[in-house]
Every structure is written in structure tokens, then in C-alpha cells.
């Protein structure tokens, strides 16, 4: 069966995620079918589908969503994914699993697969799940062993809802980006409410070491950040750089599923929707990113250098740090705790958000780097290919450090169509010797 022929069937998603074909070489892992898959097929064929709001109320977010005002609840209900997405998550993961959601489309699925191969080589146990924006993409990812979700009906519903909020009709230049952000926002929220720890990643990212090694164990959010001058997209978050603005990158972020994180995600979604309605859309084509940074500016988040709580000789995190991770070091990371109360869902008077920043000098977000940095990236690639797990710590290579991740988003706002942009990103990965397909 082809993806196109199955668009109208309720079990389009089950067939897609239930087919597990030969993977690319031996690098891309294939998830095997588990009991939830069998359960869903046997029961959903003769039962009416539950409403999106009913499913959310039955999840770990139930008490939170039941206390939301009618307006906010109505707005959220309009963009919640239906039961098919919940089943997709449950078919391919279990509660408390670390999953990676990668949204992708026909122009970027090869980069997503490249990322999957690198993670496999790095020994990551993250369960990769693709969230596609067209059915053809799913056919490609499933053929390589990556479970994929695409729901044509939900996608069209989101387009209709956004059109109402933005007072616009029909496709317009850039409308797909707005749908991507809506899909990303709601799939992340639902997956976390269903008990999964969600690592959200853009498709144009590559990790040379398992990123979970650097996630602080007791933070709600672990995210990448980059200096950027546009204050609409950034804030003065770094305590040791008071005159410099950084953007918290919602394209590479890990959410630890718990009550506070779920409250944050629901609040962020509600704030995004309110902003879209008030502004009659998103003229800057970045509402999720700008709202994310705005919300943290509003609560005056400050993150502090982890080097201040690390041993200056070994660069290892000290017991007094109050933060720990699998790597045992995060010398160029940042961390911060800020009191936080939601204005959308009930939160305790003592609630706080704990935020970590991935290594800032070992994760670059650019396609233009100095020659020496390029050499380090290439050397990191060779170590990954050899599965060399040594000397990845801070300064362990004669005072220098291997690269941990690169993000080819320097072309994100370049001119040209999607094909041109994505081709430029692929060329960048070839240039740094980090194309594994």
C-alpha cells in the first residue's frame, strides 16, 4: 500500500508505524512492535475514537487542563492531535522513555536520517520518532526503519484553525512554517503529558556524542542557546554576559516529563495561541521561538556558568554543584533556577523551573566557522566513525575539546525555496565530513 492511497483511512498511521523494513546498513535502529500496538489494533476497530480533550484529561495533565479557563481550553482543544497520535506514541515507546521527536518533510528527511545514523554510532538509546508534514516523507523514513507519523486530516484542521486566527484564507508564502510550529508545540505537549521525556530536535542537527549524556538529571528543560542581537528572539539570560543577548533555541531542547514541565508546556501553548489571536497571525514566522524566549524574559531567568561549580583541574562537576549528568562534566554549560507560577494552569506557590544549557562552545549553530573549528569538527567526525568514546571531555585533547553537536540553521533565513535551503544545509554537512548516508 502507498501512503497516498491510505490518507483517508483511520489506520493510516498504524500501517505506517507498523511496517518495519530493512534499515540503512546496520546504523539506523528499527523499533519492534510491542503490546500497545496489538492492543490498539484490536480495540480501536470497534470503538469510537476518544476526543483529543478527553485523552488529555485522562493523562498526567488531567488535573491541569481541567482547571484551565474555558477560553484557553477551547483554544487548546482546536489544535490538539487526535487519538491517532496518542496511539503512535504508545506503539513506539513506554512511559518514562526518552524519545526524540524530529519534525521533517520531503526536503529534510535525509538530514533527519543522517542525524539518526550519527546517534546510532554514538550509542544513543534515544527512541527516534519522525513527525512528518507529508505522506511521502513517511514512506522514506519507514523504509529506513524510523517510525513516522503523518495525519492529513489533522494537518488540514490546523491550517483551517490558524487561518481563522490569522484572518487569512488558503495557502500563503510561509504558511507551512506556521503549521510546523503548531505541530511541534502540540505533539511535544501531548508526549510529555503521556509520560515521555521529550527531546525535540530540528532535522538539520547532528550529534557527535549522545546528547543525553549532557542533560542535567534534575532540570525541567535542557536547551541549546546562541548569541543573537534581535531582542525579539532573545534575552539577557547569561549572568556572566550581562550585555549580550542569547536566544534559547526551541529547536534543540529536552523536556523532563513531570508536573511542572507539563504545566510549562500547556502554558507556553496557551500563550502562543493568545499571541497569534491578538496579532492576527505571526508576521515574523517564529511565534513558538519568540514566545518561548519572551516567557523566560518575563520571569527574569538567569543561568550561571557551570564552570563555577566544576573542578578547575579535572573540569568535573563537583558534588556541591547540585547538578549532575552522565558525562560527569559540563564545563561550558549553564544552569539556573527561577520561581515560576503559571497564569494558565494551577501551580504551587513554591514552583520553580530548573533550566540547563547544553555546552555552548561545543555545540555550534552556524555554517560559517573558523578554520580551526572546522578541523575540530572533522576530527570529531573521525572519532565518531571509529566509535572512539575516549577524550570527549572538556579540554581532553591537549587543552582543546571535541565538538558535541552542530546545527546547520545558518541557512534558515536564506533566500530561495525549500529545496535550495535544504540543499545548502546538506552541502554544509558534506563540507564538514559529517554526511553518513
Amino acid at each position: 500500500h502507498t501512503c497516498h492511497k491510505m490518507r483517508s483511512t483511520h489506520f493510516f498511521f498504524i500501517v505506517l508505524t507498523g511496517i518495519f523494513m530493512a534499515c540503512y546498513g546496520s546504523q539506523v535502529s528499527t523499533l519492534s512492535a510491542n503490546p500497545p500496538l496489538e492492543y490498539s489494533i484490536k480495540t480501536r476497530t470497534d470503538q469510537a475514537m476518544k476526543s483529543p480533550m478527553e485523552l488529555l484529561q485522562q493523562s498526567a495533565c488531567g488535573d491541569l487542563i481541567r482547571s484551565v479557563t474555558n477560553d484557553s481550553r477551547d483554544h487548546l482543544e482546536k489544535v490538539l492531535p487526535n487519538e491517532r497520535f496518542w496511539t503512535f506514541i504508545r506503539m513506539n515507546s513506554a512511559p518514562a522513555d526518552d524519545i526524540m521527536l524530529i519534525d521533517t518533510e520531503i526536503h529534510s528527511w535525509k538530514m533527519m536520517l543522517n542525524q539518526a545514523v550519527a546517534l546510532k554510532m554514538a550509542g544513543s538509546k534515544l527512541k527516534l520518532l519522525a513527525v512528518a508534514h507529508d505522506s511521502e516523507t513517511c514512506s522514506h523514513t519507514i523504509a529506513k526503519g524510523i517510525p513516522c507519523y503523518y495525519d492529513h486530516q489533522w494537518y488540514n484542521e490546523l491550517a483551517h484553525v490558524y487561518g481563522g486566527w490569522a484572518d487569512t484564507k488558503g495557502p500563503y508564502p510561509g504558511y507551512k512554517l506556521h503549521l510546523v510550529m503548531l505541530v511541534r508545540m502540540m505533539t511535544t505537549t501531548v508526549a510529555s503529558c503521556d509520560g515521555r521525556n521529550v527531546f525535540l530536535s530540528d532535522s538539520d542537527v547532528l550529534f557527535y556524542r549522545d546528547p543525553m549524556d549532557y542533560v542535567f538529571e534534575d532540570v525541567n528543560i535542557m536547551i541549546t542557546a546562541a548569541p543573537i542581537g534581535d531582542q525579539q528572539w532573545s534575552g539577557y539570560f547569561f549572568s556572566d554576559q550581562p550585555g549580550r543577548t542569547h536566544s534559547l533555541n526551541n529547536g534543540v531542547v529536552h523536556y523532563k516529563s513531570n508536573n511542572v514541565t507539563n504545566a510549562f508546556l500547556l502554558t507556553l501553548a496557551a500563550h502562543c495561541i493568545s499571541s497569534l489571536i491578538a496579532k492576527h497571525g505571526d508576521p515574523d514566522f517564529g511565534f513558538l521561538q519568540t514566545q518561548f524566549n519572551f516567557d523566560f524574559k518575563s520571569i527574569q531567568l538567569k543561568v550561571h556558568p557551570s564552570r563555577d561549580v566544576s573542578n578547575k583541574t579535572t573540569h568535573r562537576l563537583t558534588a556541591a554543584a547540585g547538578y549532575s549528568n552522565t558525562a560527569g562534566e559540563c564545563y561550558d554549560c549553564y544552569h539556573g533556577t527561577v520561581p515560576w507560577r503559571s497564569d494558565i494552569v494551577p501551580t504551587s506557590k513554591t514552583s520553580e523551573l530548573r533550566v540547563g544549557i547544553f555546552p555552548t562552545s561545543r555545540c555550534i549553530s552556524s555554517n560559517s566557522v573558523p578554520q580551526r573549528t572546522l578541523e575540530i569538527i572533522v576530527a570529531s567526525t573521525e572519532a565518531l566513525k571509529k566509535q572512539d568514546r575516549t577524550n570527549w571531555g572538556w579540554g581532553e585533547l591537549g587543552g582543546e575539546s571535541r565538538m558535541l553537536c552542530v546545527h546547520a540553521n545558518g541557512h534558515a533565513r536564506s533566500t530561495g525555496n525549500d529545496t535550495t535551503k535544504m540543499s545548502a544545509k546538506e552541502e554544509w554537512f558534506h563540507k564538514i565530513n559529517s554526511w553518513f548516508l
Side-chain angles (χ1 to χ4, degrees):
H1 300 287
T2 66
C3 294
H4 299 291
K5 290 179 181 178
M6 295 184 290
R7 274 185 178 177
S8 62
T9 67
H10 285 308
F11 289 97
F12 166 67
F13 75 105
I14 289 181
V15 177
L16 281 180
T17 55
I19 297 175
F20 300 104
M21 303 178 67
C23 63
Y24 182 85
S26 61
Q27 299 298 339
V28 181
S29 61
T30 302
L31 301 179
S32 60
N34 54 27
L37 171 60
E38 180 181 359
Y39 173 84
S40 65
I41 291 177
K42 286 183 177 179
T43 59
R44 290 273 69 85
T45 54
D46 57 0
Q47 294 181 18
M49 291 181 66
K50 296 179 181 179
S51 73
M53 185 54 67
E54 182 182 1
L55 288 162
L56 190 63
Q57 290 175 341
Q58 293 174 354
S59 73
C61 292
D63 289 340
L64 295 172
I65 198 65
R66 278 189 285 269
S67 301
V68 171
T69 63
N70 289 336
D71 284 346
S72 293
R73 188 185 300 111
D74 290 345
H75 292 154
L76 287 168
E77 187 167 19
K78 289 179 179 179
V79 292
L80 279 171
N82 55 38
E83 187 176 15
R84 294 189 283 272
F85 179 74
W86 293 79
T87 305
F88 169 75
I89 290 294
R90 292 168 181 177
M91 285 164 56
N92 295 295
S93 64
D97 275 352
D98 288 302
I99 66 172
M100 176 177 277
L101 293 182
I102 307 180
D103 48 24
T104 186
E105 42 81 54
I106 196 62
H107 302 292
S108 65
W109 70 267
K110 288 183 180 180
M111 283 189 291
M112 184 216 70
L113 186 61
N114 192 54
Q115 181 178 172
V117 172
L119 285 167
K120 180 71 173 179
M121 294 167 66
S124 176
K125 298 299 189 294
L126 277 165
K127 295 186 176 181
L128 270 65
L129 306 178
V131 178
H133 297 277
D134 58 86
S135 57
E136 185 177 350
T137 293
C138 274
S139 67
H140 289 301
T141 64
I142 291 168
K144 299 300 184 181
I146 305 295
C148 186
Y149 175 83
Y150 170 70
D151 191 318
H152 186 67
Q153 176 185 340
W154 183 46
Y155 206 80
N156 285 343
E157 290 172 354
L158 289 178
H160 176 73
V161 170
Y162 180 85
W165 290 337
D167 297 330
T168 185
K169 295 181 180 180
Y172 54 89
Y175 85 99
K176 287 185 178 179
L177 183 57
H178 290 136
L179 298 185
V180 167
M181 286 184 281
L182 284 173
V183 169
R184 173 179 292 189
M185 178 175 77
M186 299 316 300
T187 55
T188 301
T189 301
V190 163
S192 182
C193 287
D194 206 34
R196 277 64 177 173
N197 303 314
V198 182
F199 200 121
L200 182 64
S201 177
D202 287 340
S203 57
D204 59 346
V205 176
L206 190 133
F207 299 96
Y208 298 97
R209 183 171 176 175
D210 185 357
M212 293 303 298
D213 289 350
Y214 288 85
V215 173
F216 290 132
E217 294 178 359
D218 296 323
V219 297
N220 302 97
I221 301 168
M222 192 84 182
I223 193 168
T224 55
I228 184 173
D230 190 338
Q231 293 192 26
Q232 184 176 358
W233 296 73
S234 62
Y236 295 97
F237 301 121
F238 285 41
S239 64
D240 63 335
Q241 302 176 51
R244 195 178 195 187
T245 55
H246 287 78
S247 181
L248 304 176
N249 182 10
N250 194 257
V252 185
V253 55
H254 179 267
Y255 294 102
K256 179 74 170 179
S257 179
N258 55 42
N259 195 61
V260 173
T261 303
N262 291 339
F264 171 82
L265 287 169
L266 287 169
T267 302
L268 175 63
H271 286 174
C272 284
I273 293 171
S274 295
S275 176
L276 289 173
I277 294 172
K279 295 179 180 179
H280 301 286
D282 176 34
D284 296 310
F285 294 94
F287 71 84
L288 185 56
Q289 178 75 359
T290 56
Q291 189 66 49
F292 188 94
N293 280 268
F294 178 82
D295 281 3
F296 275 108
K297 284 189 289 187
S298 297
I299 59 175
Q300 300 181 346
L301 170 70
K302 292 294 181 183
V303 292
H304 312 285
S306 297
R307 64 177 180 272
D308 291 347
V309 289
S310 301
N311 184 290
K312 296 300 186 291
T313 302
T314 65
H315 306 128
R316 309 284 290 179
L317 289 162
T318 64
Y323 292 85
S324 60
N325 60 18
T326 301
E329 65 87 13
C330 218
Y331 203 72
D332 51 337
C333 295
Y334 285 75
H335 60 273
T337 301
V338 60
W340 177 75
R341 294 193 69 184
S342 172
D343 59 344
I344 301 296
V345 300
T347 45
S348 168
K349 293 181 179 180
T350 59
S351 289
E352 57 185 21
L353 280 168
R354 290 168 62 86
V355 179
I357 308 295
F358 279 107
T360 54
S361 61
R362 289 177 285 177
C363 286
I364 64 169
S365 182
S366 173
N367 53 57
S368 178
V369 297
Q371 180 61 32
R372 182 54 189 154
T373 301
L374 181 61
E375 293 170 357
I376 291 174
I377 292 173
V378 172
S380 302
T381 301
E382 292 306 308
L384 175 64
K385 289 179 178 178
K386 296 175 182 177
Q387 295 189 332
D388 181 359
R389 306 293 168 81
T390 63
N391 301 320
W392 283 94
W394 175 264
E396 289 189 8
L397 290 177
E400 293 185 313
S401 307
R402 285 179 175 151
M403 196 62 60
L404 299 177
C405 62
V406 293
H407 190 178
N409 63 354
H411 293 286
R413 297 190 185 185
S414 61
T415 58
N417 57 30
D418 289 340
T419 302
T420 302
K421 294 177 183 178
M422 296 306 165
S423 294
K425 291 171 184 283
E426 286 189 17
E427 289 175 7
W428 158 246
F429 285 116
H430 282 283
K431 178 181 178 181
I432 60 177
N433 200 30
S434 297
W435 192 256
F436 304 111
L437 305 186

